Amino acid sequence: MKEEILRLLRKNNSPRNWSDVLATVEKNGNLTKKVGQIGDEPIYRFFDTYSDDLTLNSSSISIAAQPTKSFIPYHIHDYVEIMIPLIEDCVVVLEHSEIKVKQNNLIFMGNRTIHKVKPISKKGVVVNIALRSSAFSLNELDYLNHRENGSNISNILFSLLSNEEYGEGRYSLFEVNHDAKITNLIYDIISEYYHPDIQSDQLIRLEMLTLFSLLIRQAANAEIKVKDFRKKNNNLLSLLLYIEKHYSNITLQKMATHFGFNPNYLSDYLKKHTGKTFIQLVHLQRINVAAEYLTYTTAPIERIATKVGYENPSYFYKIFKKYFGISPAEYRQKNS
């Protein structure tokens, strides 16, 4: 299977001229622009993700092959990027340092971390996995965060993947020592992505979580070498996780009491750091859970409304349509 995947990636990693790439992405999206410079070199903002043929890709998890012998400028993302050299090594350049990533190792680049990649050789194969914040729920990441042992890497993964503010200026390098389970799983993920079938998106998401778990276990058992930068307070993560767990009967007063905050302070803090009010965050969580019930169960809509925290079905209908643009019944018909 590995040789098949490598052949597939080599078909997609032909050299590319940067000016041609820039012209294509500027035509297809409006989120690529210069945001600064290092010396004489510009820094670009890449907030879109693209497939190997440079078509826009809105998936929460996307994979692309790094073009060989190609210039890539300094840039930032608003998502986490994992770079994995499958054949030969690659060199990632930060503002003040260079990181050599050896074959089969993984480097996680945090949100808004300025970096570029030196051109890889014609024989080299490097894959980039883009992980948006919507890829995993906070509950799933919290599960990783509370594993016994390996707490350092648990915290790194949890913070990088779930906190947009944490990632800036950070990277984490994982030297996995060619661990067979980890490398085989990486190839499985790539294969599933390039050969999509029923439930492929779900399988890729679960395999990524398995990959994180394997990294955590190796960190505990084999003293995996991990390099990371500054720690940061995860108050916002705790607050959002609390909303995700207690959405059905939550109140601002209850939540403020739980965290020892003044309700007004808590309300202002959430608005400042998320751009949404407390009640908007609660509605968003309730409606997303309701959408899952509508998709995967046949429960009556009124019962779903009550289950997620709306005693008045009419109000539930109003809020649901506000967020999704269609009624719950139409959503169920479209997605079931």
Side-chain angles (χ1 to χ4, degrees), residues 248-261:
S248 63
N249 60 357
I250 195 173
T251 67
L252 181 62
Q253 182 62 56
K254 282 182 182 179
M255 185 172 173
T257 300
H258 177 82
F259 287 99
F261 292 152

Side-chain angles (χ1 to χ4, degrees), residues 1-13 52 63-66 68 82-91 101-107 117 120-129 174 176 178-191 193-194 211:
M1 182 192 72
K2 287 186 179 181
E3 288 304 317
E4 177 190 348
I5 295 301
L6 291 173
R7 283 195 297 271
L8 186 156
L9 292 171
R10 285 195 173 99
K11 287 182 180 179
N12 296 323
N13 73 349
D52 289 317
I63 299 176
Q66 183 96 0
T68 59
I82 306 174
M83 283 175 273
I84 312 169
L86 299 176
I87 298 294
E88 299 190 344
D89 305 331
C90 74
V91 177
V101 187
K102 295 182 179 179
Q103 183 177 353
N104 291 330
N105 290 340
L106 300 85
I107 185 166
V117 183
I120 59 176
S121 76
K122 184 178 180 180
K123 294 181 179 180
V125 177
V126 177
V127 292
N128 301 322
I129 304 177
F174 300 94
V176 300
H178 300 285
D179 180 275
K181 281 193 174 182
I182 292 176
T183 54
N184 288 337
L185 183 57
I186 290 169
Y187 277 93
D188 282 341
I189 291 168
I190 297 169
S191 177
Y193 182 84
Y194 281 100
L211 174 61

Side-chain angles (χ1 to χ4, degrees), residues 147-162:
R147 298 302 85 208
E148 294 182 2
N149 303 318
S151 59
N152 180 44
I153 190 173
S154 301
N155 291 333
I156 291 170
L157 290 172
F158 181 64
S159 299
L160 279 175
L161 296 168
S162 57

